[in-house]
Amino acid sequence: MAIIGVGVDIADVPRFAEHIERVPELLDRLLTPAEQLRKNGRRRSAESLAARFSAKEALVKALQLPQIIPWHEAEVVSAFSGAPSFRLTGWVREHFRQKGAERVHLSITHDGDRTVTFVVVEGPEQAAQAVPSVDQPAPLLPGSPEALAELAAFRERARASREARRAEREEARRTQS
């Protein structure tokens, strides 16, 4: 196995809690219901909620994803032992596979008012060779026609993914009736 990407993120817990308090619906946009609740059904602590969002941010960096992803498609789950990992679905899983990735490792820690998350994405040697080298071309300039076209394509993929999920939910409702 070879490393395809590495991502690190630090979250300021009081700041995250303040954002959630000010805009409560933000929590539902960023985290799935399962990520918001402990196994006993109670709401997770601010530290735990911030860490889960921070983990998603670190995954974005490790996979070199655009900064805005369908957040529910990268769900932080816990093994029976309590070790955190990801459950990827939809467009995020598709991007993961396109990168040639096979495994993702997640580490989360809390200290005082901060959480730190670390993500390593692994794949076969061939996939690691697809990672841009140090002599890669210059990045797209923000606002350039190329950058705007790439952003539009990303938004269209995200929209299509949302519509597909919505259609799946509607079909499931119809079959239950």
Side-chain angles (χ1 to χ4, degrees):
M1 287 286 187
I3 293 175
I4 293 176
V6 175
V8 178
D9 194 72
I10 299 172
D12 181 304
V13 175
R15 185 172 166 221
F16 183 83
E18 179 185 313
H19 284 306
I20 298 305
E21 191 174 314
R22 198 168 0 113
V23 186
E25 61 272 9
L26 184 62
L27 193 58
D28 290 330
R29 277 190 273 154
L30 300 176
L31 302 174
T32 66
E35 288 174 308
Q36 295 177 41
L37 302 175
R38 294 186 300 197
K39 290 179 183 176
N40 64 8
R42 292 187 178 162
R43 185 171 172 178
R44 290 187 184 275
S45 67
E47 293 84 7
S48 183
L49 296 171
R52 279 161 171 68
F53 179 67
S54 179
K56 294 178 185 202
E57 290 279 359
L59 180 69
V60 164
K61 294 169 186 172
L63 288 175
Q64 301 163 1
L65 292 165
Q67 286 300 307
I68 300 171
I69 66 167
W71 296 112
H72 284 216
E73 293 182 5
E75 183 176 32
V76 177
V77 295
S78 298
F80 185 73
S81 67
S85 64
F86 283 105
R87 185 178 71 84
L88 305 179
T89 58
W91 182 83
V92 175
R93 181 176 55 195
E94 182 181 316
H95 186 80
F96 180 81
R97 289 181 177 157
Q98 285 175 352
K99 285 273 191 187
E102 293 178 356
R103 298 185 72 195
V104 61
H105 305 273
L106 170 60
S107 180
I108 299 173
T109 189
H110 307 260
D111 188 18
D113 287 343
R114 304 279 186 272
T115 67
V116 178
T117 56
F118 190 78
V119 172
V120 176
V121 176
E122 287 186 302
E125 287 293 327
Q126 305 89 321
Q129 293 170 0
V131 174
S133 65
V134 294
D135 61 349
Q136 63 183 303
L140 297 175
L141 292 174
S144 70
E146 296 84 7
L148 294 174
E150 194 163 315
L151 180 60
F154 166 74
R155 286 180 174 158
E156 177 56 31
R157 288 190 304 270
R159 184 197 57 74
S161 177
R162 282 192 309 272
E163 287 180 6
R165 288 192 316 273
R166 188 175 298 127
E168 288 174 9
R169 286 192 305 268
E170 288 176 11
E171 180 62 30
R173 285 185 198 124
R174 275 187 244 135
T175 57
Q176 288 177 354
S177 300

